[in-house]
Each structure stands twice: as C-alpha cells, then as structure tokens.
Amino acid sequence: MCGIFAYINHLVPRKRREVLEFIINGLKRMEYRGYDSAGLAVDSGVNQITIVKLPGKVKVLESAVMANEKLYDDFVYDVHVGIGHTRWATHGAPSAVNSHPHRSDVGNEFVVVHNGIITNYKYLKQYLTEHGFQFESETDTETIPKLIKHVYDRHPELSFRELVEQAIPQIEGAFALAIKSSHFPGECVATRRGSPLLVGIKSATHLTTDYIPVIYSADIKQSPPAQKKRNGLVNNSGTSLVNGDGDGRDSLTEFKPLNDRAEVEYFFASDASAIIEHTNRVLYLEDDDVAYVTCEGGESLRAWLELLFLRDGGLHERTRD
C-alpha cells in the first residue's frame, strides 16, 4: 500500500536538510503499509524542483539524499513545499523511473505523488501522446502531471487549484494526490477519491475558524465518467477541458491565521502516524475534497489552507478532529 507525505512551512524557517528529514521520517512512519520504492521532491533553486527516487527501502532513499551535498545542505527556506512517497508497484516493476514522484516534463514543472489506480490511464496516455507528451515510465500516475501541464499550457491564467480542478474530472479510478509546481512556489494542492488522505495544521496562533462548515449542494449529483471527445477531453459537465469552462465548485472553507505574518506548517499524509509527532490538529479529507495551500504576497504575507468540498445533500458542519 502506497504512502504520501507532504510538508509545507510558511514563515517557519527550515534548512533544506530539515525539510528532507521531515519527509523521510514521515515516510518511515508509514513503512508498515508495505512498499517497494521511495522518492521525494523539494526545491533546489529559483523555480527549480529536484526529484530523488529509488527502488528499495526508505533507508536507501535517505542515504542517497544525505550523500547529495548540493541538496542536503543548510540553505534556509521561509516558505517551501516538499512531497514524498512510498510505492507499492501496480503498473510497472519496481525501478527508479517507475517510482514516485512523477513529473510533467524534463523541467519538473508539475510533480505528483499518487496512491490508488487510474483506470482510464491508457486513454489519457494516448490522448496526451497525441498532443506531444513523451512518457518515461510504465505507470498510470504519470498521466496526472502531464494532464495538469496540458491544461496549464492552454490556460496559464488559471490558479494552481483551478488547474487541478480542471484535470481531476478527467481521471477515473481511485486516487489520493499531492501536487507541487515550479510555476507556483510555496503552494500545494491535494485531493482524494477512494484513497485516504488527511491534512494536519500546526500553528502557534489562532485560525480564523476552528471548525469546518461543509455546505452540501443538493444540485450536484454523482458525475459520470469523463467522456471522450475527438478534438480533446471534456469535463463531466460536458464542457471542453481545453476551453477552461466550468467551475464545478460547491463549498469553500479557508483556514487563515489571524496574524498576517503568522508562522504555520501544513502536513498531508496517507496516515495520521506520519504527522502525529508534529500536530494533533487533523482533518480527514473526504472523496472529491480539494485542499489548497497558498499564500498572499505583498506587504502582508499570509498563508492559508482552502478546503473545497464537492458533495451532495444538505447543510452539514464537520468539526475538526
């Protein structure tokens, strides 16, 4: 069973070696789930992402990271996103290239870790290949970052969250995802459908809300699988993906520190055991939730976590665990 771990620090200065150690220790705490390879992705320069992934135990990954003096160093980030993964092979044998994170292109513009199985990956792979994308692994996961980049190339004006919202309806199967991008430094998007994923928040200051009101839309019904269209993909509302039509949002909740320059850390994980040493403020995401960590720039710098809920039913309030 695969394991996801992501760590985002905002105005909490962390050396790059500390970020790497957080990710590696988070992966170690999920080793009991079973896996055959491990990998991670962190920033390595301005708008640059470095991926390290190998078959074998997390200890093998740890040794490779610690041996990389250009990566395992004391460079300090005030804001940073790092993601990690342990893989249990389903599509493709255990190998470095089949391990996660997977990337959109050689420039690592979009990087994804994924739990689950994408059942329509063959169609997505064919579609993306026809649009100029080259695949390097045997996995179903690689279609995801390439699909997001496909949307980005056509709609660079969209936010990171909006790009993911446009791509996710095209994916069939079960998944939990954590995504980072060189185009959106300091931001992370996570979502799930059928695979577990939780978010933890660590902050010394109060948040704008201590519970999560979830408004269920009676008008939104279970969407059918993504349809095929000769000239491109269409989303579940029947509008064209490449046109960027359709919002698809139901309810949005934001966690904002009251202090504009508040120190806050966010964690995404497949299992609470991976983050319990850091925080006990945990929310378990439900199917089709989208969690988006972003920050405001300018004179004030504020990080917040947006939680987007896509549900059926009536009004409901879900308390934070």
Side-chain angles (χ1 to χ4, degrees):
M1 187 184 299
C2 303
I4 287 174
F5 184 87
Y7 170 67
I8 303 96
N9 59 299
H10 177 267
L11 298 184
V12 181
R14 293 292 185 190
K15 297 177 182 178
R16 185 155 45 203
R17 69 168 69 230
E18 290 182 290
V19 173
L20 290 164
E21 289 168 357
F22 275 16
I23 297 172
I24 289 170
N25 288 336
L27 297 180
K28 285 182 176 179
R29 284 179 170 270
M30 294 186 288
E31 285 187 299
Y32 75 92
R33 296 165 63 92
Y35 67 102
D36 51 50
S37 56
L40 55 80
V42 295
D43 292 345
S44 55
V46 178
N47 297 330
Q48 293 182 344
I49 297 174
T50 291
I51 298 172
V52 182
K53 52 183 185 175
L54 294 165
K57 299 296 183 181
V58 174
K59 187 66 177 179
V60 175
L61 174 67
E62 181 179 27
S63 297
V65 167
M66 294 180 67
N68 188 335
E69 296 181 357
K70 293 183 178 180
L71 196 65
Y72 192 71
D73 62 12
D74 292 329
F75 186 88
V76 176
Y77 289 97
D78 288 334
V79 179
H80 182 272
V81 175
I83 60 176
H85 188 267
T86 53
R87 174 183 185 248
W88 186 268
T90 55
H91 295 81
S95 67
V97 71
N98 286 332
S99 302
H100 298 217
H102 283 286
R103 60 186 185 174
S104 58
D105 61 308
V106 295
N108 299 343
E109 293 181 37
F110 294 91
V111 179
V112 172
V113 288
H114 163 230
N115 290 355
I117 295 177
I118 307 303
T119 56
N120 66 333
Y121 82 97
K122 290 183 178 179
Y123 163 65
L124 293 173
K125 186 173 183 177
Q126 177 184 350
Y127 172 84
L128 293 165
T129 300
E130 291 172 353
H131 284 76
F133 287 90
Q134 296 182 348
F135 285 77
E136 54 190 2
S137 76
E138 303 171 80
T139 67
D140 54 337
T141 303
E142 194 180 354
T143 60
I144 300 171
K146 286 176 166 52
L147 179 60
I148 296 171
K149 177 169 168 51
H150 174 69
V151 180
Y152 174 80
D153 288 344
R154 285 154 179 76
H155 298 283
E157 75 282 0
L158 296 180
S159 70
F160 196 4
R161 188 201 71 206
E162 290 168 334
L163 291 173
V164 176
E165 288 174 11
Q166 288 288 326
I168 290 306
Q170 316 307 320
I171 300 172
E172 299 175 15
F175 57 80
L177 307 172
I179 311 160
K180 73 180 265 110
S181 172
S182 60
H183 295 292
F184 304 94
E187 301 184 18
C188 183
V189 180
T191 185
R192 58 147 290 185
R193 183 192 302 156
S195 292
L197 191 64
L198 59 88
V199 56
I201 305 173
K202 182 179 181 181
S203 177
T205 61
H206 292 291
L207 303 176
T208 53
T209 180
D210 204 35
Y211 68 94
I212 300 176
V214 184
I215 300 177
Y216 293 86
S217 170
D219 298 328
I220 297 180
K221 304 302 180 184
Q222 183 65 35
S223 299
Q227 306 171 40
K228 295 184 179 180
K229 183 179 179 181
R230 184 169 185 176
N231 295 324
L233 295 178
V234 294
N235 61 27
N236 288 339
S237 65
T239 55
S240 173
L241 174 67
V242 296
N243 289 336
D245 298 329
D247 191 321
R249 293 192 297 173
D250 180 13
S251 175
L252 181 64
T253 295
E254 296 178 355
F255 283 86
K256 294 184 180 181
L258 296 176
N259 184 345
D260 280 352
R261 298 194 63 83
E263 300 174 354
V264 60
E265 297 167 278
Y266 298 101
F267 305 84
F268 292 108
S270 302
D271 194 309
S273 64
I275 68 172
I276 195 64
E277 65 179 305
H278 303 291
T279 182
N280 62 357
R281 306 174 76 179
V282 173
L283 168 73
Y284 289 83
L285 301 184
E286 297 184 12
D287 280 353
D288 296 316
D289 283 355
V290 177
Y292 174 41
V293 176
T294 185
C295 64
E296 287 180 339
E299 294 182 359
S300 67
L301 186 61
R302 172 182 291 181
W304 73 81
L305 171 69
E306 293 182 344
L307 293 175
L308 182 67
F309 304 95
L310 302 174
R311 304 264 210 286
D312 302 335
L315 177 65
H316 176 67
E317 289 186 355
R318 189 174 69 199
T319 59
R320 175 181 52 77
D321 295 327

